[in-house]
Amino acid sequence: MSGAVRRKPRAYHPDRVRDALLAQVELLRSAVRELTPERQTELAMLLGHLARQIDALPKLLAEPAPAATRPEVDVTDWVAATVHEERDTADADVISAAAEEMEAVVDTGVREDVLIPHHLGAMRAVDFTVTRIVELTLHSDDLTRATARPVRLDRGALAITTRVLADALAAKAPGASTEVRIPPFAAVQCLAGPRHTRGTPPNVVETDPVTWLRLATGRVGWEAAVASGRLRAGGERAGALAGELPVLG
């Protein structure tokens, strides 16, 4: 990305962020409650990761405010730097307890004027809350795949997650030769090459939001997505997009 112009970060409306977080946590909590104790034990590591994502907001808000007076990282920085290594376990009771703690502080978590001491650098509370939505949406889908029982994705949470990962792709592979469309939530241009200005772009990649989430995080590969018919890529440059994925590890 040497010499690339940094894009202005997308703004997320606090009320929509709050509603999406609360809705996805409740959908997840309900889904986990429906699992048998035996199934919860089998999925304890995934549930532990989910509990940690819910609990992260109250934990960071309880820490001393950072020394910085302005944000040092944003949501796209977080995507580029995130690697998952946690190994905790949890069950439905742990997730419910974490959800209750989160609900108690969520109004502070969606404030734009509060900075929290993230390990990557000072981060606006609302931006950190957006990252929790991304985590919970992705891992709710993981739970769906692990159990073969659909965990509902809140529309607002799915929209936010789709846009975060699309923006991360545009930041990772800047350019305007290829348009990536994830209707109805996002469309971004990326990849260096001839710039498209009018009419239908010569290089277009289109997929649905859930397939995009899985592609952008390495849960499904490019060839498998194309073979399934859920990813359509047209134009000479469109296939080069495969080399830029995933954007979140």
Side-chain angles (χ1 to χ4, degrees), residues 23-225:
Q24 193 56 48
V25 167
E26 187 53 38
L27 289 170
L28 177 62
R29 180 160 51 176
S30 296
V32 173
R33 283 174 179 159
E34 293 176 1
L35 298 175
T36 65
E38 293 76 16
R39 200 72 175 105
Q40 291 182 43
T41 298
E42 293 171 2
L43 298 168
M45 290 184 63
L46 173 56
L47 300 185
H49 186 75
L50 283 162
R52 183 179 296 101
Q53 307 320 310
I54 299 170
D55 197 40
L57 180 61
K59 282 188 174 179
L60 278 184
L61 286 173
E63 293 186 8
T69 58
R70 64 182 60 188
E72 297 171 325
V73 294
D74 60 25
V75 175
T76 298
D77 296 322
W78 171 83
V79 173
T82 295
V83 177
H84 295 140
E85 297 180 346
E86 301 94 337
R87 294 292 185 270
D88 288 355
T89 60
D91 58 14
D93 290 340
V94 173
I95 285 179
S96 289
E100 290 172 5
E101 291 187 17
M102 181 276 295
E103 289 164 359
V105 301
V106 68
D107 288 333
T108 302
V110 296
R111 285 178 57 178
E112 298 175 299
D113 60 340
V114 171
L115 294 179
I116 59 173
H118 194 274
H119 71 91
L120 295 174
M123 194 174 195
R124 293 194 310 166
V126 67
D127 287 344
F128 182 71
T129 302
V130 166
T131 72
R132 298 310 89 195
I133 292 171
V134 173
E135 290 276 12
L136 292 172
T137 302
L138 293 174
H139 295 301
S140 292
D141 182 53
D142 287 341
L143 191 58
T144 289
R145 294 186 296 122
T147 62
R149 298 178 59 182
V151 178
R152 284 181 55 201
L153 300 180
D154 174 71
R155 180 180 173 85
L158 182 58
I160 287 171
T161 304
T162 299
R163 291 166 184 153
V164 166
L165 296 175
D167 290 346
L169 172 65
K172 181 180 181 183
S177 72
T178 302
E179 184 164 290
V180 179
R181 299 172 178 171
I182 313 110
F185 299 132
V188 296
Q189 292 189 344
C190 58
L191 292 177
R195 182 179 181 84
H196 165 72
T197 57
R198 298 180 62 187
T200 302
N203 304 293
V204 176
V205 173
E206 184 167 332
T207 190
D208 62 275
V210 172
T211 300
W212 169 241
L213 267 53
R214 295 173 181 177
L215 271 169
T217 58
R219 287 160 167 80
V220 67
W222 181 273
E223 292 183 2

